[in-house]
């Protein structure tokens, strides 16, 4: 609006001030006009909301009255410098990085120039190469910055090609990284690595999705989270999520190809089996699909379907992708029952649907245009809605060890996963 | 390791000359008779808040109001919507959140 010459003030919850100002700088408006309000009151409504609004009038007028004096572009952060000097040893380095709000709170390995150089060399690229500039910070995400965060996360150098490719993938418009970094919604990038590199670096393809004991699985996702802190958002803006979740720092997986009845995910996406490929997908915390009484293909798929077909989560309000992470046992039972991936998608799309009348009326007002067109709020009360708007938005991978367990990874409206070959 | 050492700064540098020109801010010189655009971003109660503050402006400054809502909370408002507000309003309030 300001670009159109209209003085505009954004009403922002205090917890989102840093994110808002970061967006302002990214959009060349460093002196963004903000009316900061108490987050809790803002989202509770009632008389307190009225008081909050009326009480904000004077500040709105004051902010609108500020004019052209502040017209510079995005602020420089040159003062941060290329290196930091630590007085003392490793523990002091950890304390410094913690106080600068550059870590996730757990101990890190200090990114010394020697270690960073090793990681840069493993990438096969120049340390100064800019891989991406991502919203809202729009800083130069260079290879050496990726390396520094990888060192801090406890990675080994051989994961650098995966991290570089994941950063490139997150730069795709459909990934919508700005939302992932700044939302109150608990979202994070689930990273799926396919192809030879997964085995070469020792990723777990089974046993423990959440990375216990598997260094690549544990550290790749942690490095991505540190990169989101330090290279995609304002330093210190660790997260704006309402609750957060451990999956935000620990979900990087590869497929259990050896025990999968289906072709690997990346082959399904059009890549060669010999290609090494990274998929980044924005997900909510994963949900267990685990009913030991279901032993038939239909019974197992029914559990997936019923887990997905609920009205109480935002992904079902508009177009969203979802990922089904089949444990090998569930995958093979489904395949023995005659189900390939397309049939699974069809089964869930046709059979497990959400009744229109499961949605409160005010929720229906927030449906996508597609849902409003097909399932208008005043007609077709007996209609049911599929769990995805496009049947191909049900993505299927196989991961895990022994046990009758699987995961449903809910995606989020308007985001698309991005799959990219490691070059 | 003791006595001090150097580590690489893990923070991405933001170029001083970030692409493009900075936005030159306009200014509201008088609130009397102002045409105010209210852009609801779809968050819970954002519309209520904007209605409250809009009515306060109406009462206090005799402003006129144009209320609009984004189609989806987590998406940018479309160009047409912004154009409409820009063509019909002198100042705007958006919210909540980012």
């Amino acid at each position: 609006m300001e670009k159109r010459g209209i003085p505009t003030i954004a009403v922002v919850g205090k917890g989102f001030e840093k994110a808002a100002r970061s967006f302002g700088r990214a959009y060349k408006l460093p002196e963004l006009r903000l009316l900061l309000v108490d987050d809790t009151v803002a989202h509770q409504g009632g008389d307190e909301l009225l008081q909050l609004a009326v009480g904000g009038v004077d500040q709105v007028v004051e902010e609108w009255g500020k004019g052209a004096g502040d017209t510079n572009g995005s602020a420089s952060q040159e003062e941060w410098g290329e290196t930091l000097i630590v007085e003392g040893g490793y523990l002091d380095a950890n304390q410094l990085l913690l106080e600068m709000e550059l870590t996730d709170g757990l101990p890190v390995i200090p990114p010394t120039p020697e270690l960073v150089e090793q990681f840069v060399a493993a990438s096969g690229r120049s340390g100064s190469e800019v891989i991406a500039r991502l919203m809202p910070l729009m800083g130069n995400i260079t290879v050496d910055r990726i390396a520094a965060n990888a060192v801090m996360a406890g990675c080994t150098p051989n994961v650098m090609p995966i991290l570089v490719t994941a950063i490139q993938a997150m730069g795709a418009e459909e990934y919508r990284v700005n939302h992932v970094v700044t939302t109150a919604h608990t979202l994070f990038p689930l990273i799926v690595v396919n192809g030879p590199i997964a085995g070469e670096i020792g990723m777990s393809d089974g046993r423990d999705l959440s990375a216990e004991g598997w260094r690549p699985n544990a550290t790749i996702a942690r490095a991505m989270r540190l990169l989101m802190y330090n290279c995609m958002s304002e330093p210190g803006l660790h997260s704006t999520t309402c609750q957060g979740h451990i999956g935000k720092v620990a979900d990087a997986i590869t497929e259990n190809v050896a025990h999968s009845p289906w072709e690997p995910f990346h082959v399904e996406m059009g890549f060669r089996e010999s290609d090494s490929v990274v998929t980044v997908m924005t997900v909510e915390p994963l949900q267990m699909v685990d009913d030991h009484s279901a032993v038939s293909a239909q019974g197992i798929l029914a559990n997936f379907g019923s887990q997905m077909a609920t009205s109480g989560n935002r992904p079902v309000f508009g177009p969203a992708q979802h990922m089904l992470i089949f444990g090998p046992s569930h995958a093979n039972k489904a395949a023995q029952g005659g189900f390939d991936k397309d049939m699974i998608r069809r089964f869930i799309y046709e059979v497990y649907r959400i009744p229109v009348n499961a949605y409160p009326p005010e929720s229906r007002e927030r449906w996508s245009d597609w849902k409003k067109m097909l399932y208008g709020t005043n007609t077709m009360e007996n209609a049911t809605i599929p769990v995805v708007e496009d049947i191909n938005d049900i993505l299927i991978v196989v991961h895990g060890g022994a046990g009758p367990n699987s995961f449903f990874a809910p995606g989020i409206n308007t985001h698309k996963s991005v799959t990219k070959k490691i070059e | 390791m003791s006595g001090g050492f150097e580590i690489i700064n893990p923070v991405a540098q933001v170029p001083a000359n970030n692409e493009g020109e900075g936005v030159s801010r306009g200014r509201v010189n008088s609130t009397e008779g102002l045409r105010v655009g209210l852009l609801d971003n779809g968050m819970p109660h954002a519309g209520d808040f904007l209605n409250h503050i809009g009515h306060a402006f109406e009462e206090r400054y005799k402003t006129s109001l144009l209320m609009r809502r984004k189609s989806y909370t987590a998406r940018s408002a479309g160009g047409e919507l912004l154009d409409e507000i820009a063509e019909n309003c002198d100042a705007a309030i958006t919210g909540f959140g980012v």
Side-chain angles (χ1 to χ4, degrees):
Chain A
M1 294 300 299
E2 294 273 6
K3 284 184 178 175
R4 288 165 169 79
I6 304 299
T8 300
I9 186 166
V11 185
V12 172
K14 289 176 181 169
F16 294 87
E17 179 183 1
K18 268 193 172 181
R21 295 204 183 280
S22 187
F23 271 105
R25 279 187 283 276
Y27 286 117
K28 321 297 178 201
L29 188 64
E31 296 301 326
L32 188 68
R33 301 173 219 257
L34 295 181
L35 174 61
L36 297 174
V37 296
D38 181 280
D39 304 70
T40 307
V41 172
H43 292 290
Q44 278 179 345
D47 288 343
E48 283 184 278
L49 186 74
L50 173 62
Q51 298 306 321
L52 206 60
V54 173
V57 168
D58 288 342
Q59 192 187 337
V60 171
V61 172
E62 182 183 341
E63 288 292 327
W64 278 342
K66 292 177 181 174
D70 314 303
T71 57
N72 53 321
S74 189
S76 167
Q77 290 187 354
E78 295 296 331
E79 67 271 20
W80 282 85
E82 290 291 320
T83 58
L84 304 169
I85 303 298
V86 178
E87 298 297 333
Y90 278 172
L91 292 178
D92 301 290
N94 266 278
Q95 189 61 30
L96 173 68
L97 291 165
L98 186 65
E99 287 173 1
M100 293 178 74
E101 301 185 89
L102 305 181
T103 78
D104 54 13
L106 292 170
V108 297
I109 295 176
T112 61
E114 296 76 20
L115 284 173
V116 170
E117 195 174 319
Q118 286 177 32
F119 278 61
V120 169
S123 75
R125 296 168 183 266
S126 158
S128 60
E129 180 183 346
V130 177
I131 298 301
R133 300 178 68 224
L134 301 182
M135 289 282 283
L137 184 63
M138 294 298 284
N140 292 330
I141 307 180
T142 54
V143 172
D144 57 11
R145 289 303 192 274
I146 296 174
N149 285 279
V151 170
M152 287 168 61
C155 294
T156 47
N158 56 7
V159 306
M160 279 297 288
I162 293 172
L163 297 177
V164 167
T165 307
I167 292 289
Q168 291 171 327
M170 289 172 79
E173 186 178 357
E174 64 269 30
Y175 184 74
R176 301 194 58 231
V177 66
N178 58 325
H179 183 224
V180 185
V181 172
T182 60
T183 181
H185 200 131
T186 298
L187 299 174
F188 51 89
L190 173 65
I191 298 161
V192 183
V193 181
N194 277 95
I197 194 170
E200 290 164 10
I201 67 169
M203 285 189 85
S204 167
D205 61 8
R207 206 188 88 182
D208 293 336
L209 175 70
S210 54
E212 292 168 81
W214 298 92
R215 186 173 178 184
N217 301 59
T219 58
I220 289 171
R222 188 184 183 206
M224 290 303 297
R225 177 54 52 180
L226 292 178
L227 283 159
M228 292 173 77
Y229 295 162
N230 297 330
C231 294
M232 300 179 208
S233 57
E234 296 283 308
L237 177 67
H238 276 178
S239 178
T240 51
T241 54
C242 185
Q243 281 99 17
H245 189 269
I246 187 63
K248 290 171 67 176
V249 294
D251 275 345
I253 65 172
T254 186
E255 279 203 275
N256 189 337
V257 176
H259 295 98
S260 170
W262 305 307
E263 64 181 3
F265 179 74
H266 70 304
V267 174
E268 190 187 349
M269 294 289 110
F271 297 93
R272 288 182 298 190
E273 192 155 1
S274 58
D275 291 336
S276 288
V277 170
V278 176
T279 298
V280 289
M281 177 173 173
T282 301
V283 297
E284 295 179 343
L286 312 190
Q287 300 173 21
M288 179 66 77
V289 180
D290 176 24
D291 170 8
H292 287 197
S293 63
V295 293
S296 66
Q298 286 85 354
I300 290 164
L301 296 178
N303 285 337
F304 276 99
S306 58
Q307 191 93 342
M308 298 170 76
T310 58
S311 62
N313 58 70
R314 186 134 59 94
V316 296
F317 281 65
Q321 287 183 322
H322 300 296
M323 183 174 278
L324 307 183
I325 303 173
F326 276 77
S329 172
H330 280 169
N332 282 289
K333 281 180 178 164
Q336 287 157 15
F339 285 86
D340 60 17
K341 288 185 179 180
D342 280 341
M343 285 188 67
I344 290 171
R345 281 187 266 268
R346 178 65 59 191
F347 178 86
I348 290 174
Y349 186 90
E350 299 288 358
V351 177
Y352 283 87
R353 300 165 75 99
I354 309 163
V356 167
N357 58 20
Y359 290 90
E362 68 268 29
S363 297
R364 298 179 209 176
E365 292 175 11
R366 290 169 187 265
W367 278 352
S368 67
D369 292 342
W370 182 88
K371 282 189 172 64
K372 284 179 180 170
M373 181 179 74
L374 294 182
Y375 307 99
T377 55
N378 295 317
T379 61
M380 302 182 67
E381 279 292 322
N382 297 321
T384 55
I385 300 175
V387 295
V388 287
E389 296 188 2
D390 181 341
I391 193 170
N392 294 312
D393 280 340
I394 299 174
L395 310 181
I396 297 171
V397 300
V398 176
H399 173 89
N405 313 91
S406 294
F407 271 123
F408 161 45
I412 181 65
N413 297 8
T414 73
H415 287 244
K416 288 278 189 185
S417 62
V418 179
T419 300
K420 189 167 184 357
K421 181 181 171 185
I422 296 174
E423 303 290 354
Chain B
M1 189 176 287
S2 63
F5 63 103
E6 189 179 53
I7 58 176
I8 300 294
N9 179 1
V11 177
Q13 301 285 297
V14 180
N17 58 344
N18 233 339
E19 298 159 21
E21 295 292 316
V23 175
S24 180
R25 300 199 304 180
R27 180 200 300 267
V28 170
N29 293 316
S30 169
T31 49
E32 292 303 323
L34 200 70
R35 300 173 302 166
V36 176
L38 303 168
L39 180 56
D40 174 354
N41 74 347
M43 291 294 279
H45 301 300
D48 295 339
F49 182 94
L50 293 175
N51 269 319
H52 291 323
I53 201 166
H55 290 317
F57 269 99
E58 269 183 323
E59 286 180 10
R60 208 178 294 182
Y61 299 112
K62 311 299 178 202
T63 59
S64 60
L65 304 176
L66 176 69
M67 180 84 167
R68 291 289 182 267
R69 190 167 83 173
K70 289 200 305 183
S71 60
Y72 178 59
T73 305
R75 274 232 145 142
S76 301
E80 285 183 19
L81 185 57
L82 298 183
D83 286 342
E84 182 191 2
I85 294 173
E87 285 168 15
N88 296 288
C89 300
D90 306 303
I93 307 172
T94 73
F96 298 123
V98 293

